Structures are given as C-alpha cells and as structure tokens.
Amino acid sequence: MTSITQRSSGLVQRRTEASRTAADKERELGREEQDAARGEEPDRDDSGDSKETRLTLMEEVLLLGLKDREGYTSFWNDCISSGLRGCMLIELGLRGRLQLEPCGVRRKSLLARKVLCRSDAPTGDVLLDEALKHIKETPTPETVQSWIELLSGETWNPLKLHYQLRNVRERLAKNLVEKGVLTTEKQNFLLFDMTTHPLTNSNIKQRLIKKVQEAVLEKWVNDPHRMDKRLLALIFLAHSSDVLENAFAPLIDDQYDLAMKRVRQLLELEPEVESMKTNTNEMLWAVVAAFTK
C-alpha cells in the first residue's frame, strides 16, 4: 500500500516519523498476511515483468481488444466499456480496497449486497483511485451491478451522472504508451481524425496471450480456486468484454475447441456457490455474477 508521509523539520521529528514508518510496515505486513488468508492479494503485480511493464486487469483487457496495427478496438464492440468497469471493481477488491457488506443472518445474494470501501489508501493508478473515491464518498452504498452502470454512465438518474469515468479507453491506452507497450499516432477517417495507439512492444502482448492460452490448456487445473485469482478474473472479464476470442485466434482447431470448452466450464459455474468456498474473493464472484446472470 502507498503510505503518505509529511515533510518534517528537526531531528526529534524525523526520528518520530521513522518509528511511525517502521510500525506502519509491521502493521501492513500483518494485514497482507490476513488478506492472503481471506483470498485477497496485497499490492503486487504479475511476477516476471519489469516494473515498467506490469499491467492492471484493465490494461490487459484493453490490450487484448486493441488491433495491433490499427491501434483501436473494434467499432462493433459494445461490451468492453462495462467490462473495464468490472475490471476496476475486481482490481480494487484484490488489492483490499473494496469488500461486500456482511451477509447477516439471512444470507443475501452477491448482487444484492452493497459495495463498501475497506481502505482508501491510494493505489498508484489514477483510474482506480478515481473509482475508489466515488465509491467511498457516495452517501448511499450501491451494489456491484449498480457501480458497473454508474461508472460507465449507463444510468437514467441524472443526479448520478457525475460518477461516470470518462475517456477510460484513451486513458488506459496512454498508460500503456507510458509503459512502452503502445505508441500514439493520428489516423484520418475521411470525415474526422482519430488518435490511435498501435502496438509497439509485441513481446508483452504475446506474453499476455500465452498466459491466457496456457491457463486453459497446458496449466488447466479444473478448479477455479486453484487458479491465480487475477488470471481467473482476466479470463472472465476478457470474455465479458468480447476480447477473449483474440487470445485464442492463433490456436489450431483442436486447441481452440478445447480452450473454449474449458472457458464454458468456467462460465457455467454458480458464483453464489463459488463465493462461499475457502480461499475465495467475494468481489470477484460478484462481478462475475453481474456479467453472467
């Protein structure tokens, strides 16, 4: 987690600040151990990548959806907008910032439970912090389904339009430009010019595609709770965003059929049942329920 320290003057004050920092680190380590026991992950990204190329779930889904040379997503894809908002909720849930309200005596369904802010510590990602700020400051808690609609602007309530996160795809693409994955160009489409972001580092995208393919082929474990939570979330959200097909397109026919068969097995799971098992994350399964209900 990111800790914010204030600038201080004087030797005594600096020693006090140092002692506080040490204590904070001990408490943070204890929280990470508790999170691991509860199926949540501390703030870390995929191993094996350098710091500059660690990607969030949102960036991975967008990268799968972007055309390599053209640098934009399909004009016919009307699912990726809500899918990216689902990525935000799961990412914040895995990082320990959000949680669902307690079930109570009469167990509520995942989609009936409200989203609560567990920690408002900055994540280091502007979009995630903006979404977290909205969720924290809303006067009345909302459900997962409601937040996906509010963050994407798909609401009929004009009083809640300010919750919409605007230009998400463009902002994510700029993040990927800063990480050296994409570049920025201008293309002319007869009646208008459009900023595009063609792929410039094919190794990172190929590694992402290979990771998704291996999850449902060579490394398939036939148990979602033995899979890495981020990778499991990526498969669900890539499917909900209608970009999973792009990861499977290079496969030969037999591999493609097997991969799709195993994805269907995941989609047929009952989120309510899976969320009650050990070593799970309720936010993940609540978002899955919102897209598969």
Side-chain angles (χ1 to χ4, degrees), residues 38 52 56 68 87 102-103 112 114 126 138 171 179-180 215 221 240-241 245 250 252 270 275 284 289:
R38 295 180 52 182
E52 291 75 17
T56 64
D68 293 356
C87 289
C103 295
K114 308 294 185 182
V126 175
T138 182
R171 293 163 70 181
K179 294 179 180 181
V221 292
S240 301
S241 302
E245 177 79 15
I252 61 176
E270 178 51 57
S275 68
L284 188 159

PDB file of all heavy atoms in Angstrom, residues 38 52 56 68 87 102-103 112 114 126 138 171 179-180 215 221 240-241 245 250 252 270 275 284 289:
ATOM      1  N   ARG A  38      -7.660 -14.517   3.582  1.00  0.00           N
ATOM      2  CA  ARG A  38      -9.039 -14.262   3.183  1.00  0.00           C
ATOM      3  C   ARG A  38      -9.229 -14.283   1.663  1.00  0.00           C
ATOM      4  O   ARG A  38     -10.298 -13.975   1.165  1.00  0.00           O
ATOM      5  CB  ARG A  38      -9.490 -12.899   3.701  1.00  0.00           C
ATOM      6  CG  ARG A  38      -9.552 -12.809   5.206  1.00  0.00           C
ATOM      7  CD  ARG A  38      -9.995 -11.440   5.627  1.00  0.00           C
ATOM      8  NE  ARG A  38     -11.228 -11.061   4.949  1.00  0.00           N
ATOM      9  CZ  ARG A  38     -11.805  -9.873   5.122  1.00  0.00           C
ATOM     10  NH1 ARG A  38     -11.275  -8.979   5.912  1.00  0.00           N
ATOM     11  NH2 ARG A  38     -12.920  -9.589   4.485  1.00  0.00           N
ATOM     12  N   GLU A  52       8.241  -1.469 -15.332  1.00  0.00           N
ATOM     13  CA  GLU A  52       7.625  -0.627 -16.351  1.00  0.00           C
ATOM     14  C   GLU A  52       6.515  -1.337 -17.112  1.00  0.00           C
ATOM     15  O   GLU A  52       5.693  -0.696 -17.752  1.00  0.00           O
ATOM     16  CB  GLU A  52       8.690  -0.141 -17.347  1.00  0.00           C
ATOM     17  CG  GLU A  52       9.694   0.850 -16.763  1.00  0.00           C
ATOM     18  CD  GLU A  52      10.723   0.179 -15.865  1.00  0.00           C
ATOM     19  OE1 GLU A  52      10.872  -1.065 -15.948  1.00  0.00           O
ATOM     20  OE2 GLU A  52      11.373   0.888 -15.073  1.00  0.00           O
ATOM     21  N   THR A  56      -2.353  -3.650 -15.148  1.00  0.00           N
ATOM     22  CA  THR A  56      -3.568  -3.889 -14.373  1.00  0.00           C
ATOM     23  C   THR A  56      -4.515  -4.752 -15.188  1.00  0.00           C
ATOM     24  O   THR A  56      -4.311  -4.963 -16.395  1.00  0.00           O
ATOM     25  CB  THR A  56      -4.257  -2.560 -14.025  1.00  0.00           C
ATOM     26  OG1 THR A  56      -4.684  -1.925 -15.246  1.00  0.00           O
ATOM     27  CG2 THR A  56      -3.326  -1.618 -13.277  1.00  0.00           C
ATOM     28  N   ASP A  68      -3.497  -4.648 -33.349  1.00  0.00           N
ATOM     29  CA  ASP A  68      -2.069  -4.346 -33.227  1.00  0.00           C
ATOM     30  C   ASP A  68      -1.629  -3.181 -34.102  1.00  0.00           C
ATOM     31  O   ASP A  68      -0.968  -2.254 -33.631  1.00  0.00           O
ATOM     32  CB  ASP A  68      -1.246  -5.591 -33.584  1.00  0.00           C
ATOM     33  CG  ASP A  68      -1.440  -6.701 -32.569  1.00  0.00           C
ATOM     34  OD1 ASP A  68      -2.145  -6.482 -31.567  1.00  0.00           O
ATOM     35  OD2 ASP A  68      -0.876  -7.804 -32.787  1.00  0.00           O
ATOM     36  N   CYS A  87     -13.463  -4.695 -14.333  1.00  0.00           N
ATOM     37  CA  CYS A  87     -12.043  -4.867 -14.009  1.00  0.00           C
ATOM     38  C   CYS A  87     -11.650  -4.000 -12.816  1.00  0.00           C
ATOM     39  O   CYS A  87     -10.903  -4.434 -11.933  1.00  0.00           O
ATOM     40  CB  CYS A  87     -11.180  -4.478 -15.206  1.00  0.00           C
ATOM     41  SG  CYS A  87     -11.222  -5.614 -16.598  1.00  0.00           S
ATOM     42  N   PRO A 102     -21.357  -7.450   4.910  1.00  0.00           N
ATOM     43  CA  PRO A 102     -21.552  -8.779   5.509  1.00  0.00           C
ATOM     44  C   PRO A 102     -22.908  -9.368   5.152  1.00  0.00           C
ATOM     45  O   PRO A 102     -23.875  -8.644   4.918  1.00  0.00           O
ATOM     46  CB  PRO A 102     -21.439  -8.497   7.012  1.00  0.00           C
ATOM     47  CG  PRO A 102     -20.651  -7.236   7.114  1.00  0.00           C
ATOM     48  CD  PRO A 102     -21.025  -6.424   5.912  1.00  0.00           C
ATOM     49  N   CYS A 103     -22.978 -10.677   5.121  1.00  0.00           N
ATOM     50  CA  CYS A 103     -24.212 -11.363   4.719  1.00  0.00           C
ATOM     51  C   CYS A 103     -25.344 -11.160   5.727  1.00  0.00           C
ATOM     52  O   CYS A 103     -26.501 -11.003   5.347  1.00  0.00           O
ATOM     53  CB  CYS A 103     -23.955 -12.864   4.564  1.00  0.00           C
ATOM     54  SG  CYS A 103     -22.823 -13.265   3.247  1.00  0.00           S
ATOM     55  N   ALA A 112     -27.166  -8.535  -4.414  1.00  0.00           N
ATOM     56  CA  ALA A 112     -27.988  -7.712  -3.516  1.00  0.00           C
ATOM     57  C   ALA A 112     -27.149  -7.026  -2.444  1.00  0.00           C
ATOM     58  O   ALA A 112     -27.628  -6.115  -1.774  1.00  0.00           O
ATOM     59  CB  ALA A 112     -29.062  -8.570  -2.852  1.00  0.00           C
ATOM     60  N   LYS A 114     -24.213  -4.654  -0.856  1.00  0.00           N
ATOM     61  CA  LYS A 114     -23.632  -3.362  -1.208  1.00  0.00           C
ATOM     62  C   LYS A 114     -22.103  -3.430  -1.204  1.00  0.00           C
ATOM     63  O   LYS A 114     -21.495  -4.237  -0.492  1.00  0.00           O
ATOM     64  CB  LYS A 114     -24.080  -2.278  -0.231  1.00  0.00           C
ATOM     65  CG  LYS A 114     -25.589  -2.202  -0.030  1.00  0.00           C
ATOM     66  CD  LYS A 114     -26.310  -1.766  -1.284  1.00  0.00           C
ATOM     67  CE  LYS A 114     -27.800  -1.574  -1.014  1.00  0.00           C
ATOM     68  NZ  LYS A 114     -28.548  -1.200  -2.228  1.00  0.00           N
ATOM     69  N   VAL A 126      -4.387   6.188 -11.370  1.00  0.00           N
ATOM     70  CA  VAL A 126      -5.329   7.312 -11.326  1.00  0.00           C
ATOM     71  C   VAL A 126      -6.773   6.844 -11.497  1.00  0.00           C
ATOM     72  O   VAL A 126      -7.675   7.280 -10.763  1.00  0.00           O
ATOM     73  CB  VAL A 126      -4.975   8.358 -12.407  1.00  0.00           C
ATOM     74  CG1 VAL A 126      -6.024   9.469 -12.435  1.00  0.00           C
ATOM     75  CG2 VAL A 126      -3.601   8.950 -12.149  1.00  0.00           C
ATOM     76  N   THR A 138     -19.884   8.137  -1.910  1.00  0.00           N
ATOM     77  CA  THR A 138     -21.315   8.049  -2.187  1.00  0.00           C
ATOM     78  C   THR A 138     -22.096   7.985  -0.872  1.00  0.00           C
ATOM     79  O   THR A 138     -21.718   7.239   0.040  1.00  0.00           O
ATOM     80  CB  THR A 138     -21.643   6.823  -3.052  1.00  0.00           C
ATOM     81  OG1 THR A 138     -23.028   6.803  -3.340  1.00  0.00           O
ATOM     82  CG2 THR A 138     -21.274   5.534  -2.349  1.00  0.00           C
ATOM     83  N   ARG A 171      -7.459   6.825 -21.716  1.00  0.00           N
ATOM     84  CA  ARG A 171      -6.555   6.986 -20.578  1.00  0.00           C
ATOM     85  C   ARG A 171      -5.748   5.710 -20.318  1.00  0.00           C
ATOM     86  O   ARG A 171      -4.566   5.761 -19.978  1.00  0.00           O
ATOM     87  CB  ARG A 171      -7.354   7.389 -19.333  1.00  0.00           C
ATOM     88  CG  ARG A 171      -7.963   8.774 -19.463  1.00  0.00           C
ATOM     89  CD  ARG A 171      -9.074   9.021 -18.459  1.00  0.00           C
ATOM     90  NE  ARG A 171      -8.575   9.140 -17.099  1.00  0.00           N
ATOM     91  CZ  ARG A 171      -9.367   9.341 -16.047  1.00  0.00           C
ATOM     92  NH1 ARG A 171     -10.697   9.436 -16.216  1.00  0.00           N
ATOM     93  NH2 ARG A 171      -8.855   9.464 -14.843  1.00  0.00           N
ATOM     94  N   LYS A 179       4.181   2.960 -20.540  1.00  0.00           N
ATOM     95  CA  LYS A 179       4.877   1.721 -20.173  1.00  0.00           C
ATOM     96  C   LYS A 179       5.618   1.104 -21.353  1.00  0.00           C
ATOM     97  O   LYS A 179       6.188   0.020 -21.233  1.00  0.00           O
ATOM     98  CB  LYS A 179       3.874   0.715 -19.595  1.00  0.00           C
ATOM     99  CG  LYS A 179       3.278   1.169 -18.262  1.00  0.00           C
ATOM    100  CD  LYS A 179       2.259   0.179 -17.712  1.00  0.00           C
ATOM    101  CE  LYS A 179       1.701   0.662 -16.385  1.00  0.00           C
ATOM    102  NZ  LYS A 179       0.730  -0.276 -15.787  1.00  0.00           N
ATOM    103  N   GLY A 180       5.581   1.780 -22.497  1.00  0.00           N
ATOM    104  CA  GLY A 180       6.330   1.308 -23.660  1.00  0.00           C
ATOM    105  C   GLY A 180       5.681   0.182 -24.422  1.00  0.00           C
ATOM    106  O   GLY A 180       6.331  -0.483 -25.231  1.00  0.00           O
ATOM    107  N   ALA A 215      -3.452 -21.020 -19.415  1.00  0.00           N
ATOM    108  CA  ALA A 215      -4.350 -21.193 -18.269  1.00  0.00           C
ATOM    109  C   ALA A 215      -5.456 -22.192 -18.567  1.00  0.00           C
ATOM    110  O   ALA A 215      -5.944 -22.874 -17.656  1.00  0.00           O
ATOM    111  CB  ALA A 215      -4.957 -19.850 -17.874  1.00  0.00           C
ATOM    112  N   VAL A 221      -6.301 -26.630 -14.427  1.00  0.00           N
ATOM    113  CA  VAL A 221      -6.363 -27.376 -13.166  1.00  0.00           C
ATOM    114  C   VAL A 221      -7.778 -27.843 -12.833  1.00  0.00           C
ATOM    115  O   VAL A 221      -7.984 -28.537 -11.836  1.00  0.00           O
ATOM    116  CB  VAL A 221      -5.819 -26.528 -11.995  1.00  0.00           C
ATOM    117  CG1 VAL A 221      -4.331 -26.296 -12.151  1.00  0.00           C
ATOM    118  CG2 VAL A 221      -6.563 -25.201 -11.885  1.00  0.00           C
ATOM    119  N   SER A 240     -16.359 -11.319 -20.991  1.00  0.00           N
ATOM    120  CA  SER A 240     -17.448 -10.349 -20.856  1.00  0.00           C
ATOM    121  C   SER A 240     -17.224  -9.118 -21.727  1.00  0.00           C
ATOM    122  O   SER A 240     -18.179  -8.474 -22.147  1.00  0.00           O
ATOM    123  CB  SER A 240     -17.588  -9.920 -19.391  1.00  0.00           C
ATOM    124  OG  SER A 240     -17.855 -11.029 -18.554  1.00  0.00           O
ATOM    125  N   SER A 241     -15.953  -8.801 -21.995  1.00  0.00           N
ATOM    126  CA  SER A 241     -15.613  -7.648 -22.834  1.00  0.00           C
ATOM    127  C   SER A 241     -15.522  -8.010 -24.305  1.00  0.00           C
ATOM    128  O   SER A 241     -15.186  -7.152 -25.139  1.00  0.00           O
ATOM    129  CB  SER A 241     -14.279  -7.046 -22.367  1.00  0.00           C
ATOM    130  OG  SER A 241     -14.332  -6.661 -21.010  1.00  0.00           O
ATOM    131  N   GLU A 245     -11.700 -13.996 -27.543  1.00  0.00           N
ATOM    132  CA  GLU A 245     -11.505 -14.649 -28.842  1.00  0.00           C
ATOM    133  C   GLU A 245     -10.168 -14.257 -29.455  1.00  0.00           C
ATOM    134  O   GLU A 245      -9.517 -15.064 -30.138  1.00  0.00           O
ATOM    135  CB  GLU A 245     -12.647 -14.262 -29.780  1.00  0.00           C
ATOM    136  CG  GLU A 245     -12.540 -14.799 -31.192  1.00  0.00           C
ATOM    137  CD  GLU A 245     -12.965 -16.254 -31.293  1.00  0.00           C
ATOM    138  OE1 GLU A 245     -13.597 -16.748 -30.344  1.00  0.00           O
ATOM    139  OE2 GLU A 245     -12.648 -16.876 -32.318  1.00  0.00           O
ATOM    140  N   PRO A 250      -4.975 -17.477 -32.531  1.00  0.00           N
ATOM    141  CA  PRO A 250      -3.798 -18.149 -33.128  1.00  0.00           C
ATOM    142  C   PRO A 250      -3.769 -19.656 -32.923  1.00  0.00           C
ATOM    143  O   PRO A 250      -2.932 -20.334 -33.528  1.00  0.00           O
ATOM    144  CB  PRO A 250      -2.616 -17.490 -32.383  1.00  0.00           C
ATOM    145  CG  PRO A 250      -3.166 -16.247 -31.755  1.00  0.00           C
ATOM    146  CD  PRO A 250      -4.582 -16.568 -31.438  1.00  0.00           C
ATOM    147  N   ILE A 252      -4.535 -23.707 -33.074  1.00  0.00           N
ATOM    148  CA  ILE A 252      -5.043 -24.635 -34.084  1.00  0.00           C
ATOM    149  C   ILE A 252      -6.429 -25.093 -33.642  1.00  0.00           C
ATOM    150  O   ILE A 252      -6.831 -24.913 -32.494  1.00  0.00           O
ATOM    151  CB  ILE A 252      -4.088 -25.830 -34.259  1.00  0.00           C
ATOM    152  CG1 ILE A 252      -3.950 -26.610 -32.948  1.00  0.00           C
ATOM    153  CG2 ILE A 252      -2.733 -25.358 -34.754  1.00  0.00           C
ATOM    154  CD1 ILE A 252      -3.098 -27.874 -33.083  1.00  0.00           C
ATOM    155  N   GLU A 270     -21.537 -21.570 -10.698  1.00  0.00           N
ATOM    156  CA  GLU A 270     -22.516 -20.760  -9.971  1.00  0.00           C
ATOM    157  C   GLU A 270     -21.764 -19.824  -9.020  1.00  0.00           C
ATOM    158  O   GLU A 270     -21.202 -20.282  -8.018  1.00  0.00           O
ATOM    159  CB  GLU A 270     -23.467 -21.660  -9.185  1.00  0.00           C
ATOM    160  CG  GLU A 270     -24.492 -20.920  -8.363  1.00  0.00           C
ATOM    161  CD  GLU A 270     -25.255 -19.884  -9.167  1.00  0.00           C
ATOM    162  OE1 GLU A 270     -25.876 -20.261 -10.192  1.00  0.00           O
ATOM    163  OE2 GLU A 270     -25.201 -18.698  -8.774  1.00  0.00           O
ATOM    164  N   SER A 275     -18.482 -18.412  -4.261  1.00  0.00           N
ATOM    165  CA  SER A 275     -18.090 -17.347  -3.330  1.00  0.00           C
ATOM    166  C   SER A 275     -18.078 -17.814  -1.884  1.00  0.00           C
ATOM    167  O   SER A 275     -17.496 -17.149  -1.023  1.00  0.00           O
ATOM    168  CB  SER A 275     -19.040 -16.153  -3.471  1.00  0.00           C
ATOM    169  OG  SER A 275     -20.341 -16.474  -3.013  1.00  0.00           O
ATOM    170  N   LEU A 284     -14.751 -10.630  -6.656  1.00  0.00           N
ATOM    171  CA  LEU A 284     -14.528 -11.267  -7.957  1.00  0.00           C
ATOM    172  C   LEU A 284     -15.805 -11.972  -8.415  1.00  0.00           C
ATOM    173  O   LEU A 284     -16.260 -11.779  -9.546  1.00  0.00           O
ATOM    174  CB  LEU A 284     -13.348 -12.233  -7.863  1.00  0.00           C
ATOM    175  CG  LEU A 284     -12.819 -12.863  -9.162  1.00  0.00           C
ATOM    176  CD1 LEU A 284     -11.381 -13.355  -8.923  1.00  0.00           C
ATOM    177  CD2 LEU A 284     -13.664 -14.022  -9.660  1.00  0.00           C
ATOM    178  N   ALA A 289     -20.958 -12.638 -11.367  1.00  0.00           N
ATOM    179  CA  ALA A 289     -22.418 -12.813 -11.332  1.00  0.00           C
ATOM    180  C   ALA A 289     -23.121 -11.696 -12.090  1.00  0.00           C
ATOM    181  O   ALA A 289     -24.119 -11.927 -12.770  1.00  0.00           O
ATOM    182  CB  ALA A 289     -22.895 -12.847  -9.876  1.00  0.00           C
TER     183      ALA A 289
END
